[in-house]
Amino acid sequence: MEFISGVVERITYCNEESGFGVIKIKSKEFSELVTAVGNLAAVNVGATVRLKGEWKYDSKYGKQFSAVECYETVPATTAGIEKYLGSGLIKGIGPIYAKKIVRKFKEDTIRIIDEEPDRLLEVEGIGQKRLEIIKQAWQQQKEIKNVMLFLQSNDVSTAYAIKIYKAYGNESISVVKSNPYRLADDIWGIGFKTADKIAQKLGYDKNSYERCRSGIIYVLNELADDGHCFAERSQLVEKAEKMLDLDRELIESTISRMIEEGAIIADVNDSIYLPPFYYSEVGVARRIKDILSVPSIYNSFNHDKVLEQVQKESGIRYDDIQIEAIKTAAKSKFMVLTGGPGTGKTTTTQGIIRLFRKLSAKVLLAAPTGRAAKRLSESTGMEAKTIHRLLEYKPPEGYKRNEENPLDCDVIIIDETSMVDVILMYNLLKAISDHTIVILVGDVDQLPSVGAGNVLKDVINSGIVNTVKLTRIFRQALGSAIITNAHRINKGEFPILRGGKNSDFFFIEEEEPHKIVQIIVDLCSRRLPEYYRVDPINDIQVLSPMQRGETGTSNLNLVLQEALNPSQTSIKYGGTIYKLGDKVMQVKNNYDKNVFNGDIGIITRIDPEDRIVVISFDGNEVEYDVTELDEVVLAYATTIHKSQGSEYGIVVAPITTQHYIMLQRNLLYTCVTRAKKAIVLVGTKKAIAMTISNNKIQKRNTMLAYRLKERTDGKSE
């Protein structure tokens, strides 16, 4: 093994997840910059490093020093100190303040920050507030260094090391040593596999109860991410056995012990639940039955008379099935209104609202996402809130509206109910009193919720609540090829692809993935904005079935960012460059910031000095520290799954045989129904045909329909 020393001039590549980095070092021993590779993600520009490793020759990149160990010291020269402080290492000090501080204190800068930090007030522009930020960040940096060194020696990446430190502070090392599997439970983004890798490095027994327990919980969470409320015991054992590489007997005995401890719950038909999903599913069934058990106070009214008044005042004549739906709503305690695009769901919902308001009922409206709530407000002329806002969610206390403090209303209407998962539905129903009338509105043929459960479908399939399905496509909707083709797709018929000049449904045939990408970029940057006179970022949305591959969202986002956003103001985190003006999507519910999984926003401010990014979500300005940017992804292109509940002016979507794993009828149906003004499919007829013929909707493990059918004495009806 050899040693080299020098100053880090630049960081060429950094993978925050794996910790792998490529850096350029200026060393006295060499005339040119040295390329070093290895676990170097924690290294900062300007730092002096001593590397242990060996020289290797890469056929593509040439001679490189492959480092196995890295020791970092504080730089000694003013140029090195300036580079070091300006790298974003210390919050409150960016390139501008680094220059000012070093100009003032020269080689003594590091000592001043460490021993006499109050003297930074002598630097122009630094006030008490910024000083406190710098002092806190510097102290944290010193503490985090020890944690980092320990974690990195155990193959933990920088990004995860920072998260661990944020969660446990100075206790990080002792927590990780005592039970590394805690990381998978406590820290978002760290799954079982990462925790297991750390544990193995620390010498943990492969057969330990902690490892097996954590692996089983991981499998159940993975299934929940795929929409399942429970695992069949045999399914759980099989998946855990494969992943953990352990004997079946050990997994079986661990499951039994976990059931005894209450870590998991066993129910009928060998179903195994994580507690939140079990209690939510049982709770939803119980609350629906409770609400149904109390008669409606509006049953005695002359609904025909009131409905006639509503039609007269609104100037709308409802057809027979819409009248049936409105009357059903008036007579029911719990009702579902479903139907595809153009079938009059919105008009019918308006009719239901007008009828109840005629009866002096207090009506509340809600939807799962901000966009869906905004659309509901616009169509009804009434305030509609997200379900979270309606329930007054405040972390860490949780939902302010609950059994003790129910919502004050006579009728509640929930739109886009297909998106509501079982946990959110349970929290909603807990906050609804038994006398309230509940009306669920949604398109049951769309993709089910991203979260676990299949609530809307299960409620309908139970047969215990009144359901009206709107089927007639209204004349004004028949002129839309989007609506016509959506219904054709839903029925398993091939869509009509020959769109004329005035059509709103277009198909461009292309097989080669790289050419499909080129076409999509041209459509988004030039053709569609010119033809429709629209903004390419706000009014056009690219939807893809998958994240990976050339036509997946990850690659499309990179090429679309380059084509649509020329901004030079940017910040880098986790291998992604975020630019001013970028369209981004929140991928995690963050109750503190009041932003939720699937919300789309625009980056409105980037502060490289303070390492802060501000994102506007429909006018709600939200501040992110750079380390929180793993909660957002670029959103020029998103997956069709993530588009649920949203509508976009124009949709562009690649449909290729590359996506064969994801090609399902309800996926294409959901994609097409997201577009208001126009949709352009780019791909092959073969891929469209494959999609339409595949109606094997992944069955989700849920028992809500069974629980709803079950009588209170525990017997099934």
Side-chain angles (χ1 to χ4, degrees):
M1 290 284 176
E2 294 181 59
F3 291 88
I4 62 164
S5 299
V7 177
V8 180
E9 281 291 306
R10 65 176 180 268
I11 296 167
T12 308
Y13 174 76
C14 167
N15 186 318
E16 299 277 357
E17 286 186 18
S18 66
F20 179 80
V22 181
I23 61 175
K24 297 281 186 184
I25 298 171
K26 192 175 184 178
S27 174
K28 290 175 184 174
E29 303 161 51
F30 304 92
S31 57
E32 293 183 349
L33 291 178
V34 174
T35 302
V37 300
N39 195 341
L40 303 168
V43 171
N44 296 286
V45 172
T48 302
V49 293
R50 178 172 161 83
L51 303 178
K52 179 184 176 184
E54 55 187 2
W55 290 98
K56 288 187 177 175
Y57 188 84
D58 185 277
S59 57
K60 189 173 179 182
Y61 298 107
K63 193 177 179 185
Q64 297 177 331
F65 190 81
S66 179
V68 292
E69 287 178 20
C70 173
Y71 309 94
E72 187 178 334
T73 58
V74 176
T77 67
T78 54
I81 294 168
E82 188 181 319
K83 210 167 241 185
Y84 181 72
L85 291 177
S87 67
L89 174 73
I90 310 297
K91 193 171 179 180
I93 305 178
I96 296 165
Y97 280 107
K99 189 182 271 299
K100 287 182 178 181
I101 294 168
V102 174
R103 194 188 297 146
K104 177 77 179 171
F105 300 115
K106 301 186 171 54
E107 285 87 353
D108 209 22
T109 295
I110 299 298
R111 189 195 66 75
I112 293 286
I113 296 174
D114 197 36
E115 297 174 14
E116 301 176 74
D118 288 349
R119 285 192 62 191
L120 292 173
L121 292 169
E122 297 170 25
V123 177
E124 185 199 348
I126 295 182
Q128 197 63 44
K129 190 179 173 186
R130 186 173 292 273
L131 174 66
E132 291 307 318
I133 292 169
I134 294 169
K135 280 163 78 170
Q136 193 182 348
W138 182 258
Q139 192 55 37
Q140 200 176 51
Q141 194 60 37
K142 281 168 66 178
E143 290 166 357
I144 206 171
K145 252 330 184 221
N146 296 326
V147 175
M148 287 288 195
L149 286 168
F150 166 76
L151 292 171
Q152 284 182 323
S153 68
N154 288 288
D155 291 341
V156 181
S157 72
T158 310
Y160 289 152
I162 291 167
K163 285 187 173 194
I164 292 166
Y165 183 80
K166 275 188 173 178
Y168 308 125
N170 295 339
E171 303 296 310
S172 298
I173 295 172
S174 62
V175 168
V176 173
K177 277 182 173 175
S178 63
N179 181 10
Y181 294 104
R182 265 188 68 182
L183 302 176
D185 297 335
D186 296 350
I187 299 167
W188 185 78
I190 296 184
F192 168 78
K193 289 179 180 176
T194 304
D196 196 39
K197 215 164 65 179
I198 299 165
Q200 299 306 306
K201 190 88 178 182
L202 288 168
Y204 256 71
D205 181 7
K206 187 184 164 192
N207 296 316
S208 71
Y209 171 69
E210 286 81 11
R211 179 172 184 262
C212 199
R213 181 187 185 278
S214 186
I216 287 163
I217 287 171
Y218 173 77
V219 170
L220 287 167
N221 275 315
E222 285 282 286
L223 287 165
D225 287 345
D226 287 336
H228 302 289
C229 290
F230 66 87
E232 293 165 358
R233 188 162 180 145
S234 58
Q235 177 190 25
L236 178 59
V237 171
E238 192 181 314
K239 283 184 178 289
E241 188 182 17
K242 192 177 174 182
M243 188 187 74
L244 295 166
D245 191 26
L246 294 175
D247 291 340
R248 183 174 282 256
E249 290 76 23
L250 182 59
I251 291 163
E252 287 277 13
S253 65
T254 303
I255 289 172
S256 298
R257 183 175 163 184
M258 287 171 75
I259 292 167
E260 281 174 33
E261 291 173 353
I264 54 180
I265 293 168
D267 202 30
V268 295
N269 304 326
D270 269 345
S271 56
I272 307 286
Y273 287 80
L274 287 168
F277 300 106
Y278 175 79
Y279 291 117
S280 293
E281 196 176 79
V282 169
V284 168
R286 190 189 69 248
R287 288 298 304 127
I288 291 175
K289 288 177 183 177
D290 289 346
I291 292 164
L292 285 168
S293 69
V294 177
S296 169
I297 60 169
Y298 301 103
N299 264 335
S300 58
F301 287 90
N302 186 335
H303 298 123
D304 289 320
K305 190 180 173 184
V306 179
L307 191 52
E308 189 56 46
Q309 286 176 340
V310 166
Q311 291 185 106
K312 196 174 175 182
E313 287 172 15
S314 64
I316 297 169
R317 299 305 301 179
Y318 301 108
D319 73 357
D320 290 347
I321 196 161
Q322 287 178 312
I323 286 171
E324 183 202 334
I326 297 167
K327 281 184 178 178
T328 303
K331 294 172 188 172
S332 304
K333 278 301 304 302
F334 207 108
M335 174 207 173
V336 173
L337 175 66
T338 185
T343 57
K345 276 202 308 294
T346 301
T347 307
T348 308
T349 303
Q350 288 168 340
I352 292 169
I353 294 167
R354 287 188 181 113
L355 180 129
F356 276 118
R357 292 184 83 175
K358 272 276 179 206
L359 300 173
S360 302
K362 186 176 180 182
V363 182
L364 289 183
L365 306 179
T369 66
R371 290 195 162 206
K374 193 178 174 186
R375 219 170 52 248
L376 184 59
S377 285
E378 287 166 356
S379 67
T380 60
M382 283 176 63
E383 185 187 23
K385 295 179 179 178
T386 64
I387 296 171
H388 285 95
R389 267 195 65 214
L390 187 76
L391 301 179
E392 298 173 37
Y393 190 91
K394 298 276 189 307
E397 305 93 66
Y399 296 99
K400 200 173 166 186
R401 295 288 185 173
N402 49 36
E403 312 95 310
E404 282 80 40
N405 182 26
L407 294 162
D408 178 21
C409 63
D410 302 304
V411 181
I412 186 164
I413 298 174
I414 308 297
D415 200 14
E416 296 287 357
T417 311
S418 61
M419 294 180 68
V420 182
D421 61 49
V422 70
I423 290 178
L424 184 57
M425 182 57 79
Y426 179 44
N427 282 296
L428 173 66
L429 293 177
K430 276 198 292 185
I432 294 171
S433 66
D434 290 354
H435 81 264
T436 303
I437 292 169
V438 181
I439 298 165
L440 306 182
V441 183
D443 185 350
V444 76
D445 295 316
Q446 275 188 43
L447 290 166
S449 58
V450 174
N454 203 349
V455 176
L456 186 64
K457 189 164 252 179
D458 284 349
V459 169
I460 293 170
N461 289 345
S462 74
I464 75 160
V465 303
N466 290 326
T467 300
V468 178
K469 185 169 185 175
L470 304 175
T471 52
R472 178 192 160 200
I473 304 171
F474 283 84
R475 194 172 63 238
Q476 61 268 34
L478 283 169
S480 163
I482 290 174
I483 288 172
T484 303
N485 280 334
H487 286 276
R488 288 182 69 91
I489 291 163
N490 201 27
K491 288 189 283 190
E493 298 169 7
F494 201 85
I496 301 160
L497 299 179
R498 54 182 190 279
K501 192 180 176 183
N502 297 320
S503 180
D504 56 6
F505 190 104
F506 303 94
F507 172 69
I508 299 172
E509 190 148 22
E510 180 53 64
E511 196 166 351
E512 296 293 324
H514 73 279
K515 287 184 181 174
I516 290 173
V517 173
Q518 287 170 4
I519 291 167
I520 289 172
V521 170
D522 189 40
L523 283 165
C524 294
S525 61
R526 186 182 63 84
R527 289 168 65 181
L528 292 168
E530 283 178 10
Y531 185 77
Y532 287 102
R533 301 277 184 264
V534 294
D535 180 74
I537 293 177
N538 291 309
D539 299 323
I540 301 171
Q541 185 60 54
V542 176
L543 300 179
S544 177
M546 296 185 79
Q547 288 181 330
R548 296 187 183 137
E550 204 164 356
T551 57
T553 58
S554 299
N555 182 53
L556 284 169
N557 270 316
L558 292 177
V559 295
L560 287 165
Q561 183 191 47
E562 191 180 343
L564 300 176
N565 190 354
S567 175
Q568 296 302 302
T569 306
S570 66
I571 201 161
K572 190 175 178 182
Y573 181 76
T576 301
I577 294 168
Y578 297 91
K579 293 183 181 181
L580 189 67
D582 269 341
K583 179 158 63 171
V584 292
M585 176 184 278
Q586 181 79 11
V587 292
K588 170 187 182 261
N589 286 341
N590 188 322
Y591 302 104
D592 290 314
K593 296 185 189 297
N594 197 31
V595 284
F596 303 98
N597 189 358
D599 286 355
I600 286 181
I602 300 288
I603 295 177
T604 54
R605 185 162 71 87
I606 294 175
D607 187 335
E609 288 291 315
D610 293 340
R611 310 279 284 166
I612 283 169
V613 174
V614 176
I615 303 171
S616 174
F617 294 94
D618 283 330
N620 177 28
E621 299 268 315
V622 182
E623 193 175 281
Y624 290 76
D625 182 86
V626 72
T627 59
E628 297 174 308
L629 288 178
D630 58 350
E631 292 187 14
V632 297
V633 296
L634 293 174
Y636 297 96
T638 71
T639 62
I640 297 168
H641 277 90
K642 285 284 189 187
S643 74
Q644 285 171 262
S646 294
E647 274 189 351
Y648 313 100
I650 299 168
V651 168
V652 179
I655 302 289
T656 80
T657 50
Q658 273 194 318
H659 303 144
Y660 72 94
I661 299 169
M662 299 297 292
L663 295 182
Q664 292 176 331
R665 189 187 296 174
N666 61 346
L667 190 88
L668 184 57
Y669 174 76
T670 301
C671 175
V672 169
T673 54
R674 297 310 87 206
K676 287 194 291 187
K677 192 177 282 185
I679 183 165
V680 186
L681 299 180
V682 187
T684 63
K685 290 174 183 172
K686 185 183 175 183
I688 294 172
M690 280 170 67
T691 308
I692 290 164
S693 63
N694 182 8
N695 199 31
K696 292 176 187 168
I697 297 166
Q698 186 204 21
K699 185 181 173 295
R700 293 189 165 193
N701 291 345
T702 74
M703 278 203 285
L704 179 58
Y706 165 80
R707 296 186 196 282
L708 285 166
K709 287 176 190 172
E710 203 178 35
R711 296 204 307 262
T712 47
D713 62 5
K715 294 175 183 174
S716 185
E717 289 177 350

